Structures are given as structure tokens and as C-alpha cells.
Amino acid sequence: GGRWVRRGVGGAMAIVQSNKVHKNSVFFRFASEGTALEKVEFYGREIAVGDLKAAIAEQKHLPKFDLQLVDEATGEVYAKDGKMLPRNMTVTVRRTPVYSSKKPA
């Protein structure tokens, strides 16, 4: 019978993780819930506000258009879905329910 030498397995793992496939994270917490930090993982160096909203909405089973993202460090409200946010930052999520446009006839 042949001998199996399992050597260098740990070293090979580190090489596989190139930047192209490495997942990055942005952290978020809900203003109403206080402290619980959660994260959204994505590929690449940054994520668009719209994509981040969609990912949070999916995780929390909420409508995307109800969410408003605020930079936890500066208090800046991200109004444009196209704005790119850097990885590893933390945003505060506010619920802003959009009222239906049912007006009395």
C-alpha cells in the first residue's frame, strides 16, 4: 500500500484567497434596535448604497425603499443609491416607511 503524505495543506489555503474572490463586509445596525451590529458580505472593495440597502432588506425581510442609510461616523445620510461605500465601514439603518398614496376621494 502507498503512503499518503498530507503536508502543506494549511499553506495552500492561504494562496487560494486572492483579492478577487475575497469577501469584504460592511457593518450595519438599526437605529431602533440600538447596539446589535450585523454585516453584509460582498465581493470587491466597495458596495453601492442601493446594493447595500437591497442586501439588508433581504436579510431582514424588509422592503428596500423603507431603508435609509446613515454614516455612523459622520451622520451623513446616503440619499443616492449610486454612492459607493468603502468596505469595513459601519452604517446606521433607519426605517422610513413610505406612506401609500391613497388619498381620500
Side-chain angles (χ1 to χ4, degrees):
R3 286 209 333 261
W4 286 55
V5 181
R6 292 181 64 187
R7 197 166 41 196
V9 174
M13 290 292 285
I15 299 163
V16 175
Q17 274 193 341
S18 74
N19 271 345
K20 284 178 195 150
V21 295
H22 193 60
K23 272 190 178 176
N24 289 307
S25 305
V26 162
F27 301 91
F28 68 92
R29 75 176 90 221
F30 278 82
S32 57
E33 290 173 21
T35 54
L37 258 190
E38 298 181 67
K39 73 177 176 181
V40 166
E41 292 188 320
F42 60 95
Y43 294 104
R45 298 180 130 165
E46 45 189 18
I47 185 169
V49 168
D51 293 340
L52 181 56
K53 278 186 191 172
I56 293 171
E58 197 175 299
Q59 271 188 35
K60 307 298 283 183
H61 309 292
L62 297 168
K64 173 185 164 184
F65 50 80
D66 272 11
L67 305 180
Q68 182 184 64
L69 304 185
V70 183
D71 184 322
E72 193 165 89
T74 65
E76 179 192 351
V77 174
Y78 297 121
K80 293 193 176 123
D81 277 2
K83 180 165 175 66
M84 300 304 292
L85 303 181
R87 61 189 173 185
N88 298 329
M89 73 171 299
T90 301
V91 296
T92 301
V93 182
R94 291 193 190 134
R95 295 288 307 277
T96 54
V98 177
Y99 296 102
S100 60
S101 54
K102 281 186 208 152
K103 290 181 183 148

